[in-house]
Structures are given as structure tokens and as C-alpha cells.
Amino acid sequence: MRDFLLIAVFAFLGAAAAGLLGAFVLRLLRHRSVAVSLTVVAAVTVVAMLAGTLAVARAMFLSAHDLTVVTTVAAMAAVVSLATALVLGRWVVARSRELTLAARTFGEAGSFAAPGGAVTAELAELSRELAATSARLTESRERERALETSRRELVAWISHDLRTPLAGLCAMAEALEDGVVQDPERYFRQIRTEVDRLNGMVGDLFELSRIHAGALALTPTRMSVYDLVGEALAGADPLAREHGVRLVGGRVEPVPVEVDGKEMTRVLANLLVNAIRRTPADGTVAVAAERREDSVVLSVTDGCGGIPEQDLPRVFDTGWRGTQARTPPAGAGLGLAIVRGIVEAHEGHAAVRNVSGGCRFEVTLPAAR
């Protein structure tokens, strides 16, 4: 037993000395190729075994013949190990270079294509992560491109919509200054109407900028959907009467929600105003609310005749107004964008689909717990 312990101690000391030397060499070569590191690791393994064997042989006084045999075996093992390490290292380096080239094209062209052929598990995982990152960046670029297009359209449309009332205000002011107006009161009313329009457009722009900046501060309170819809219907009733449109709100379930009452009232008001203005006289705008599993769905159905299928995905985009003329009462195309922003701030989502004779806007909100 004592001899066995001595053999173990001498073998450990010899191997430890070789391991420390190998660690020092690896530290010196830490910035070199992985093939060099693998070769050093293989060499350390063989040298550690040989050093342990020589230490034991020296302590146990093995014969010269036995020592030569052991040394020869270790040398052959070293040759094979080093050759294997070099082959493996070159293969790993080749795969790494292919991945590097693919990543370089990813940075230049914006898309990543994983190199073919067998690779190690780590390189395969890295390829998957790069592919996933490429997909996310592509989606981000598409969203940024769509947002930039929307911004350009918004600037163009806002410029058009601002120019019209400003030109009218200028003309009416000049007429009043020159004293050529026979009915000044009518001009004053018209000026007030145009100012209200401008004020509404500026308010919408401010609201939209807060939504895009993530600065929309919500104060959620628990309330009944019935009360929320009732308040919105009462506010939209004068406009509906003016356009000869019937408002229907019979299918409203009194389910509770936790929302910012002011902001959600604005959401319903925007949807109702949009629906009333696009529904022909003697038409109907219906409001409904129902519970669906863990959510509450508010819907506004109009009689606009439907939206072209190719335009449905863009309905909630900033500045979108379809193919209608960019003149009052079409507005600046911000109402539905504001609707989506406020609803998403409540962790809900807004959608639209065509129904018989018109379209239905749906707002889905989390139900109160």
C-alpha cells in the first residue's frame, strides 16, 4: 500500500509540473489560433503522462529496458495526439473562418446566411443566434422604413391640411380689414370654426408625439364598460344628428375594466367620429361591448361600405386616410393612430375588419381582475 501511494505521489508531481508548464505556454499563446491551443493541450497531456512515468521510474528504479519501452510508447502516443490535435484544430479554424465571413456579410448586406457543413455545437449555437439577430434587425429595419414613410406622408398631409385653413383665415382677415364684408358675424363664426380645426390638429399631433415618445401617463381606474360607452355615445350624439346617422348601443355588457377613463373616452370618440363621418345619412353606427375569456372587446360598426383589403393593414398607420380626398372632414389621418397608441398603452390591441355594408373596429382590453 505504501508503494502504491508513493507511485501516485510521484506521478502526480510529474504530471502537475507538466500541467503548470502547459498553462504558462497557453497563457503566452492565448491570442493565437485555436489550432495552436489544441496542439498545446495534446502536448501537455502526453508530456504530463511521460513526466509522471519518468518520475515513477526514477523513484522505483525501473530497468533501462522498461524505461525505454515506456518512453517509446509515450512518444508514439505523442505523435498521434499531436497529429489529431492539428487536424481537429484546422477543421475548427476553417469552420470559424466560414462563420466569420458569414458574419461579415451580415454586417455589410444586412442578412445572415449560416455556412453549410458540419460544425461544433458551440459554433452551431452561435450561427443560430446570429440568424435570430439578423431576423430581428430585418424586422426593425422594416418597421423603421415604414415609420419613416409614414412620417414623410404625415408631414406632407399636415402641410396640406394646415395650408387650407390658414389661407382661408388670411383671406377672411384681409376682407374684414378692408371693410368689404357685408356680414362680419358670419366671418367671425367661420374664423372660429377654422381656429377650432387647427387647434384640434395641433392637439392630435401633441397626443401622437407623447404616444411615440412613450410619455403617455395613464391613471387606470376600475369602471364599467357600460358607463364608458354611454359617455362616448352622449358626446358623439350631436355630430350623429347633424349627419343624420343613428347611434345604436344596445349590445353593451356592464363588465368592469381598469383603464384611464379620459384616454379611453378619446379612443371611443375617435372611432365614433370616424364612423359617423363615413356612414351615409340614414345609416347606422353600432357600438357593442362583450366579455371574451380574459378580455373585453369594444366594437364600433359603421356603414362606410368597407375598406379595400389591401388597405386594411395600414388603417392604423400615422397619416393614413385611404383614397378619400385630403379635405375636411377627412382630418389629418391621426385619429386611428392615436387609437392604436392609447390601446397598446393599456396592453390591448386594435383591429379592423370588413363586415356586411361597412367595417368593424374592435378594441380588445384586459378584463379587470
Side-chain angles (χ1 to χ4, degrees):
M1 186 65 182
R2 184 172 176 274
D3 293 340
F4 180 77
L5 290 176
L6 286 175
I7 291 172
V9 170
F10 281 112
F12 174 77
L13 291 176
L20 291 175
L21 179 61
F24 178 72
V25 174
L26 283 176
R27 179 175 177 79
L28 293 178
L29 301 176
R30 62 184 180 275
H31 298 302
R32 300 294 297 275
S33 170
V34 68
V36 176
S37 299
L38 286 174
T39 303
V40 173
V41 170
V44 167
T45 303
V46 176
V47 171
M49 183 187 69
L50 184 59
T53 302
L54 291 176
V56 171
R58 191 175 186 83
M60 301 304 294
F61 304 102
L62 291 180
S63 65
H65 177 269
D66 292 342
L67 184 58
T68 302
V69 171
V70 172
T71 305
T72 302
V73 172
M76 294 301 101
V79 172
V80 174
S81 298
L82 292 175
T84 303
L86 284 173
V87 172
L88 177 60
R90 290 175 65 86
W91 179 78
V92 172
V93 169
R95 301 289 83 78
S96 299
R97 286 175 178 170
E98 291 176 358
L99 188 59
T100 300
L101 292 176
R104 187 175 302 162
T105 59
F106 166 42
E108 295 172 352
S111 60
F112 175 79
V119 294
T120 63
E122 292 78 9
L123 292 180
E125 178 66 20
L126 180 57
S127 296
R128 287 192 292 269
E129 288 298 326
L130 286 173
T133 301
S134 175
R136 289 193 294 269
L137 286 176
T138 299
E139 293 177 0
S140 177
R141 290 191 188 95
E142 291 177 353
R143 287 196 299 269
E144 183 179 356
R145 192 178 299 113
L147 182 59
E148 183 61 28
T149 300
S150 176
R151 286 172 178 169
R152 286 197 298 267
E153 292 177 350
L154 176 61
V155 170
W157 292 347
I158 285 293
S159 300
H160 177 277
D161 289 339
L162 287 175
R163 188 180 297 114
T164 301
L166 287 175
L169 288 172
C170 183
M172 287 184 285
E174 290 178 354
L176 288 170
E177 274 187 349
D178 296 339
V180 296
V181 178
Q182 296 180 356
D183 187 3
E185 293 298 327
R186 184 174 68 85
Y187 273 64
F188 290 143
R189 289 193 299 270
Q190 185 63 30
I191 289 174
R192 178 59 184 268
T193 299
E194 296 298 333
V195 170
D196 288 343
R197 281 189 57 220
L198 290 173
N199 186 57
M201 292 172 63
V202 172
D204 286 346
L205 282 172
F206 178 71
E207 183 78 2
L208 195 63
S209 67
R210 288 200 304 159
I211 291 172
H212 286 170
L216 183 63
L218 300 178
T219 308
T221 56
R222 188 182 182 92
M223 62 176 57
S224 171
V225 173
Y226 188 85
D227 296 334
L228 191 65
V229 172
E231 184 177 350
L233 288 174
D237 185 66
L239 181 64
R241 292 178 181 275
E242 179 184 343
H243 286 75
V245 174
R246 294 186 299 274
L247 290 180
V248 178
R251 294 179 50 246
V252 179
E253 299 178 9
V255 293
V257 289
E258 288 188 7
V259 296
D260 187 307
K262 178 182 176 182
E263 298 297 339
M264 286 309 303
T265 298
R266 179 164 192 167
V267 166
L268 289 176
N270 284 358
L271 292 178
L272 285 170
V273 169
N274 186 69
I276 291 170
R277 286 176 173 172
R278 285 161 177 76
T279 299
D282 294 331
T284 300
V285 172
V287 182
E290 58 181 330
R291 179 77 175 260
R292 295 181 187 174
E293 297 180 355
D294 295 331
S295 60
V296 177
V297 179
L298 303 172
S299 64
V300 176
T301 306
D302 59 33
C304 67
I307 299 173
E309 292 294 330
Q310 67 272 15
D311 288 341
L312 284 176
R314 294 200 58 200
V315 167
F316 292 98
D317 289 353
T318 302
W320 184 88
R321 289 181 293 184
T323 57
Q324 296 188 8
R326 298 169 185 170
T327 54
L334 305 181
L336 294 180
I338 292 173
V339 166
R340 181 174 64 178
I342 294 176
V343 171
E344 290 180 350
H346 284 84
E347 299 182 356
H349 66 271
V352 61
R353 58 189 175 91
N354 286 325
V355 295
S356 178
C359 59
R360 177 174 297 161
F361 288 85
E362 293 186 347
V363 171
T364 303
L365 298 169
R369 299 185 183 279

